[in-house]
């Protein structure tokens, strides 16, 4: 049990660290959102699952499960809304990026 909790906790902290490094290192808002969203969702989920194992079957575990579900639902949605708003505002992508649909370019309107 201790090995499982330690592994989950270490893996979660690893993903949170990778997301933080991505936030600091990536060149534009779109790639930064990608890094933080993916790593926060997975990293926080793993950390909270390890805390669920530590607390056992209790109301605390149920609350942690609700937090995981809330984060898994809201984190990708918020990242999508932020990146779409940045795209509509015309915030430039990093050099070397490309548009999937060349007809739909940012026009500055939300």
């Amino acid at each position: 049990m201790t090995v499982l909790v330690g592994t989950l906790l270490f893996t979660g902290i690893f993903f949170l660290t990778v997301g933080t490094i991505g936030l600091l290192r990536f060149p534009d808002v779109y790639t930064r959102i990608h890094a933080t969203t993916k790593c926060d969702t997975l990293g926080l989920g793993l950390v909270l699952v390890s805390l669920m194992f530590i607390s056992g079957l209790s109301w605390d575990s149920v609350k942690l499960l609700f937090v995981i579900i809330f984060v898994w639902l809201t984190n990708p949605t918020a990242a999508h809304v932020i990146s779409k708003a940045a795209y509509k505002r015309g915030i430039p992508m990093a050099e070397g990026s490309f548009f999937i649909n060349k007809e739909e370019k940012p026009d500055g309107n939300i």
Side-chain angles (χ1 to χ4, degrees):
M1 182 70 142
T2 305
V3 173
L4 176 67
V5 169
T7 303
L8 288 171
L9 196 58
F10 177 77
T11 308
I13 290 171
F14 170 76
F15 279 109
L16 289 171
T17 303
V18 168
T20 303
I21 292 171
L23 176 67
L24 297 174
R25 299 278 310 200
F26 283 161
D28 63 356
V29 67
Y30 307 103
T31 54
R32 289 178 183 160
I33 289 172
H34 171 77
T36 56
T37 303
K38 304 297 181 214
C39 295
D40 285 351
T41 303
L42 183 59
L44 183 66
L46 290 172
V47 168
L48 292 179
V49 167
S50 70
L51 292 176
M52 287 173 62
F53 279 117
I54 290 173
S55 68
L57 188 59
S58 65
W59 282 111
D60 293 336
S61 296
V62 174
K63 291 176 188 175
L64 290 171
L65 181 63
F66 284 138
V67 171
I68 290 172
I69 292 170
F70 179 76
V71 168
W72 283 356
L73 290 176
T74 58
N75 200 8
T77 306
H80 176 77
V81 170
I82 292 170
S83 61
K84 181 136 186 156
Y87 181 75
K88 292 284 184 180
R89 287 272 181 182
I91 294 176
M93 294 183 181
E95 197 169 308
S97 299
F98 60 95
F99 294 101
I100 294 174
N101 183 3
K102 297 220 179 227
E103 300 299 321
E104 182 185 339
K105 292 195 175 197
D107 56 1
N109 297 327
I110 291 182

